[in-house]
Structures are given as structure tokens and as C-alpha cells.
Amino acid sequence: MNPYIESLRPKLNKSDYEKLCAISIPKVHEFIAKSADLCNAEHVFICSDSEQDKNYIRQQAITTKEETPLNIQGHTIHFDGYYDQGRDREATKYLVPKRVFLSKALNQVDRQEGLAEVKSALRDSMAGRTMIARFLSLGPTNSVFTILGLQCTDSFYVAHSEDLLYRSGYKVFTKSDPNTDFLRVLHSSGKLTERMVSEEYNEKRIYIDYMDNTIYSVNTQYAGNSVGFKKLAFRLAIRQTNYEGWLAEHMMIMGVHGPGGRKTYFSGAFPSACGKTNFAMLVPPKGFEG
């Protein structure tokens, strides 16, 4: 009997219990159980990446009013809070062990102190809410380049965003060896206003525990802070590349349509502050795909 799965049983319906049992990685069960306990989630939803599960997340994002439907069928919009419009560099810190020092350009805090602080902020943050567990792949699935990620969040908007950004990874998790490692993210929007945006933005914390490949994020909804793999896992990747001898960078592949139905593909690297967002907003939507 798996003690972590059994501790989750009161928070899982029959379907979610079966979906979780289909994964044989003990660290998955442990991370979900400890996250649900710390944040005091009322329910836990295990997303299997089926169309039914994905549609449930999309619909709940609307039901909770984190997203609003647009006139274009199937499209929604989400507004972050006024003070939660970008990555918060001051609130983003690396957790480092004693007598270890990273570059002075990086915000850092003693690992034990940081863990105590961020877990205090996360404690009971999901009371009365559902915690969603998303299983994702940061690279091609079933490949030597596959990097698996598991995010637990109480935001259906964040869970929906991950559908748009990443490859589904639940099936890979179910086929993976029990010793498989993966990146972990625990996120809570924290206390919400009537407009369903994070209220205690002054208390946001985005802490990166590179010793345990885990990211903690609380009191924020902005994707760069809350969708853990979007920007923050890149920091973990940079450190990993240093030890394993490969390159980590924002990469892109783009298809350009030309005369006579011609389509030309090219790839490249997109470093920070190179203007990729501004460029994407200027290009006519039918001219490129990427």
C-alpha cells in the first residue's frame, strides 16, 4: 500500500485515484501528497491529458472567472492584476546551501530559511480549492531529450496555459521507470480579489530550489512567475548544462510562407531582451507560423 496515495484518497474521486495509481514513480505521489497537505487543498484533480480532462480545465477557468470567453468561439482572455504584470526579479530567489555562493547577479537566500519562508506563505493557500496536477514534457516525448515536469497549482488559468505551451506528458509518466526524475513546481495564486487576481502581490515569492529541482511560486498569476516551466525551469536548465556540457537557450523554429505555396523553415536562438515579443506582435498572423 502506497502511503502517499492513501493519504490523498479523501481528496481524490475514483477516476483521479486510478489515474494517479497508473504512475509508478514514488516521488510523484510524494510531491502531490505533500503539496496538497501543505496547501490544504480540498480536492486534487489529476489531469491525464485526455480531451475530457483538458476541456474540464478550460471550462473551470471560465467558471472560476479566471478567464472570460471572447466572441470568437473557443477563445478566452485573462487579465493579470495591475501590480502583477511581469516577472518580479526582487521576489525571485535561488535557495542555496550554507557556504555556497552563486553569481552576485542572482538573488539568493539560505536554502533552509527560504524553504521555511515560502512554505509558510503556501500553507493553507488552497483551502477550499482544487489543486490541479499537470504532467508535462519540456522536450520531445519518448526521446533521450525528454525532460519531464510536474506542476501542482490551484489556478485553472495556469493549468490551461500549460496546454498551450507544452507537450502533454501524462502518458510518458505512466510508462516511465520508478526512479525517473522530473522538474517540480508548486504554485498558488494565493488570496484572490473579487476580480480573481492575486491580492497579496507584495508577498509574492518565486523561489528556485536547484538542489531538489523544485520551484515554489505564490501570490502571483503572471505566467512568467506562475507557469513554472515557462521561465524559471530555464534557470535550472542553465545550471544543468554547465555540468552536462550542452546548450540551454530560448530556441525557436519558424515557417515562412512564400510565393507559390512555398514554405521555408529556419531555426535560431532567442536570448533575453532580443525583442522577440515585440517582433511577434508586429508580424501579420498569416505570414508566419512558429
Side-chain angles (χ1 to χ4, degrees), residues 28-254:
V28 166
H29 312 142
E30 180 182 3
F31 182 69
I32 294 175
K34 288 186 175 180
S35 296
D37 181 62
L38 172 67
C39 299
N40 193 20
E42 184 172 357
H43 303 290
V44 175
F45 174 66
I46 306 297
C47 182
S48 69
D49 300 327
S50 67
E51 283 304 309
Q52 179 181 356
D53 282 1
K54 289 183 177 182
N55 286 333
Y56 171 75
I57 286 174
R58 295 180 189 126
Q59 185 55 52
Q60 285 300 109
I62 295 172
T63 300
T64 59
K65 297 183 179 180
E66 288 187 90
E67 298 182 30
T68 303
L70 296 175
N71 290 333
I72 304 173
Q73 186 175 1
H75 288 250
T76 59
I77 191 169
H78 164 86
F79 289 101
D80 291 313
Y82 181 81
Y83 296 101
D84 194 20
Q85 294 288 323
R87 279 183 290 154
D88 192 324
R89 297 183 184 276
E90 293 300 318
T92 302
K93 296 180 181 180
Y94 282 88
L95 305 181
V96 296
K98 293 187 184 300
R99 294 180 292 279
V100 173
F101 302 94
L102 303 180
S103 166
K104 292 182 179 180
L106 301 173
N107 288 334
Q108 48 206 286
V109 64
D110 176 79
R111 183 170 184 263
Q112 294 306 317
E113 292 179 11
L115 283 173
E117 181 184 356
V118 74
K119 287 184 178 182
S120 176
L122 282 162
R123 186 164 291 111
D124 296 329
S125 60
M126 299 184 189
R129 300 183 195 170
T130 295
M131 186 180 83
I132 311 112
R134 293 305 316 267
F135 301 89
L136 306 159
S137 176
L138 278 68
T141 56
N142 302 316
S143 164
V144 295
F145 299 108
T146 300
I147 300 176
L148 295 179
L150 165 60
Q151 172 145 355
C152 293
T153 177
D154 60 2
S155 170
F156 284 98
Y157 155 68
V158 168
H160 180 198
S161 297
E162 289 170 330
D163 276 338
L164 308 177
L165 290 167
Y166 306 112
R167 293 176 175 89
S168 299
Y170 175 77
K171 289 184 179 179
V172 185
F173 270 87
T174 62
K175 297 176 182 178
S176 295
D177 183 90
N179 294 319
T180 299
D181 201 6
F182 53 93
L183 296 177
R184 307 159 181 80
V185 179
L186 174 57
H187 163 260
S188 173
S189 300
K191 187 177 180 180
L192 299 172
T193 69
E194 292 181 358
R195 298 183 63 187
M196 294 302 292
V197 297
S198 297
E199 180 174 329
E200 297 177 330
Y201 50 85
N202 289 328
E203 299 299 322
K204 74 177 66 168
R205 298 288 184 272
I206 308 102
Y207 283 7
I208 304 168
D209 184 6
Y210 66 84
M211 298 289 292
D212 198 33
N213 284 343
T214 303
I215 296 158
Y216 301 93
S217 171
V218 62
N219 293 321
T220 179
Q221 287 177 309
Y222 176 75
N225 299 328
S226 61
V227 182
F229 310 112
K230 182 173 184 287
K231 298 277 176 60
L232 302 176
F234 183 47
R235 275 67 177 169
L236 298 178
I238 290 173
R239 188 171 182 84
Q240 188 172 346
T241 63
N242 186 51
Y243 289 107
E244 298 181 1
W246 49 281
L247 176 66
E249 186 50 270
H250 298 92
M251 306 299 292
M252 63 90 181
I253 182 169
M254 186 161 59

